[in-house]
Amino acid sequence: NAGVTQTPKFRILKIGQSMTLQCTQDMNHNYMYWYRQDPGMGLKLIYYSVGAGITDKGEVPNGYNVSRSTTEDFPLRLELAAPSQTSVYFCASSYEPTYNEQFFGPGTRLTVL
Amino acid sequence: DQQVKQNSPSLSVQEGRISILNCDYTNSMFDYFLWYKKYPAEGPTFLISISSIKDKNEDGRFTVFLNKSAKHLSLHIVPSQPGDSAVYFCAASAQGSGTYKYIFGTGTRLKVLA
């Protein structure tokens, strides 16, 4: 099992550009999450999904969109990138949402200049 | 509003000694707590968890203690090893309220000196 994989590992965007961060898990988990981690801060939840076709906002959803067409994939879309979106983005998944740990991908380091 | 706080950004401990990492929370609805370890350029990995019905959970060298009245939890690593050098995050969730969103602390960087 590869677990949770994320692509790309690094990306530099110009202000106003768009991009999609890819996340795939092969553990057949229904629950998937996107977090961002800013320097010196904890992880903040951007969006989460409880299954294919169902997504909901987390703490910091502005400037992002998600979709969940399959159990395996949970891409995060940035439209009109801004410097405030410079961060490290982590995707995670879990088998059950309650009383279970989340499995994290290796992260995508995004810089918006 | 920081609901989960890790007030020590860093900690240095001699190899073989005990490492104690602390975490405080403000939301009395939190009933499930986890600790994650994170190495540079990797995602966090789960270490140990504790439910609010317990006050201690042990897994090998790692023990988590929960003091509900003080809204405080701590992670003890005994004995500490150089491979334990990493950033440790605590996370909390109010699972009994029907939410499965986790609130993370800002992390404590542990350095174990050989």
Side-chain angles (χ1 to χ4, degrees), chain B residues 86-98:
Chain B
V87 178
Y88 290 79
F89 292 97
C90 66
S93 181
Q95 309 261 316
S97 302

Side-chain angles (χ1 to χ4, degrees), chain B residues 4-85:
Chain B
V4 177
K5 299 178 186 178
Q6 293 178 257
N7 291 319
S8 298
S10 63
L11 175 68
S12 291
V13 171
Q14 207 66 35
E15 180 180 7
R17 305 294 291 269
I18 184 171
S19 295
I20 300 176
L21 294 91
N22 295 304
C23 181
D24 297 294
Y25 61 96
T26 57
N27 188 341
S28 57
M29 299 300 290
F30 287 152
D31 58 1
Y32 190 59
F33 305 88
L34 305 93
W35 284 94
Y36 285 88
K37 180 165 80 171
K38 184 183 179 307
Y39 291 119
E42 294 183 11
T45 54
F46 170 73
L47 196 56
I48 194 169
S49 64
I50 189 166
S51 161
S52 60
I53 62 172
K54 294 184 174 182
D55 52 19
K56 176 183 173 181
N57 189 26
E58 200 169 346
D59 184 1
R61 296 187 296 114
F62 303 92
T63 303
V64 56
F65 295 91
L66 176 62
N67 182 332
K68 289 186 288 293
S69 61
K71 295 192 180 67
H72 177 83
L73 65 154
S74 60
L75 174 68
H76 292 211
I77 307 173
V78 184
S80 301
Q81 299 173 354
D84 297 328
S85 297

Side-chain angles (χ1 to χ4, degrees), chain A residues 1-23:
Chain A
N1 282 352
V4 180
T5 56
Q6 292 182 239
T7 56
K9 283 187 168 41
F10 305 94
R11 183 74 185 267
I12 298 176
L13 280 183
K14 293 183 179 178
I15 294 172
Q17 286 185 320
S18 301
M19 76 164 294
T20 299
L21 281 66
Q22 302 292 346
C23 175

Side-chain angles (χ1 to χ4, degrees), chain A residues 30-53:
Chain A
N30 280 325
Y31 301 88
M32 296 187 74
Y33 313 82
W34 273 106
Y35 292 90
R36 60 177 285 174
Q37 185 192 11
D38 299 329
M41 303 295 288
L43 283 76
K44 300 282 189 187
L45 183 64
I46 305 171
Y47 271 96
Y48 65 99
S49 169
V50 304

